[in-house]
Amino acid sequence: MSAAKQDLRQQMQAQRLSLSFEQATARARAASENLLTHPWLARAHVVALYAAVRAEMSTSFLAEALARDGKVLCYPRLLGQSRELAFHQAREPNLVPNRFFIPEPPASDPLVSPKDIDLFIVPGLAFDDDGLRLGWGRGYYDVTLRAAAKAHRVGLGFDFQRVGAVPADGDDEAMDLLATDRALYITGARPRADRSLT
């Protein structure tokens, strides 16, 4: 299983790196515009974003649009040796690189409980139509999403990151929706424990 995951990580990262800046920017804008049409975004009050690194799809367009709509935006921060992420209300220009060179909010920014987040926008290297997601293998999002089971989960990426099947194990948390530059894909992966945003 780990070999299959690593092979897929390498393949997807190579494809992401093959995009020019202009191509990646245009596709990120298209994916953002697609996602902004979904009612979950309109009804969410608190939205968790990520700051793109290593050729991940940018969330800057989403952040600008959601801020204009008055949404509370928060970004993840690593907590020492813990595998659960802390989320702080922040804006992307104020993020600072952590030990993995991932931009994150300073600890002084207002803390947001994962249970108060209505919708998580999650990065990944690959996704499938069952909602399974392949990350870098550290499990930070899997641990965090289990602690916020009622929130909607949106995997954001380029359409070529959709694959037939993501190698997964019992610890992998599924996405409810995939948003790409081509379309939105409802996965139906999880029974909704809380339908307040549907």
Side-chain angles (χ1 to χ4, degrees), residues 157-189:
F158 303 101
D159 203 74
F160 61 72
Q161 292 178 258
R162 287 179 62 231
V163 298
V166 167
D169 55 44
D171 292 331
D172 295 330
E173 291 292 316
M175 302 294 103
D176 301 313
L177 175 73
L178 307 179
T180 78
D181 46 297
R182 181 169 295 176
L184 300 178
Y185 306 92
I186 295 283
T187 71

Side-chain angles (χ1 to χ4, degrees), residues 78-85 99-100 138 140 143:
L78 296 182
L79 284 174
Q81 299 304 311
S82 171
R83 289 174 62 203
E84 187 171 339
L85 298 168
R99 66 181 183 272
F100 297 117
R138 295 189 181 98
Y140 291 112
V143 171

Side-chain angles (χ1 to χ4, degrees), residues 46-48 74-77 79 84-88 111-120 140-141 143-152:
V46 182
V47 178
C74 56
Y75 289 82
R77 188 174 64 84
L79 284 174
E84 187 171 339
L85 298 168
F87 285 83
H88 294 260
L111 189 64
V112 178
S113 169
K115 294 179 181 178
D116 292 332
I117 296 172
D118 300 311
L119 188 144
F120 286 86
Y140 291 112
Y141 270 101
V143 171
T144 301
L145 292 173
R146 276 195 292 276
K150 293 184 179 182
H152 287 286

Side-chain angles (χ1 to χ4, degrees), residues 2-18 125-126 134-136 160:
S2 60
K5 285 187 174 185
Q6 190 58 26
D7 288 346
L8 187 55
R9 286 186 183 106
Q10 292 174 354
Q11 176 190 341
M12 290 294 104
Q13 182 66 346
Q15 285 190 254
R16 293 197 311 198
L17 290 169
S18 73
L125 283 154
L134 179 67
W136 287 105
F160 61 72

Side-chain angles (χ1 to χ4, degrees), residues 35-45 66 69 71 119 197:
L35 182 52
L36 288 165
T37 67
H38 198 282
W40 288 352
L41 270 291
R43 295 171 185 162
H45 176 60
L66 294 171
D69 287 343
K71 309 297 184 185
L119 188 144
L197 296 177

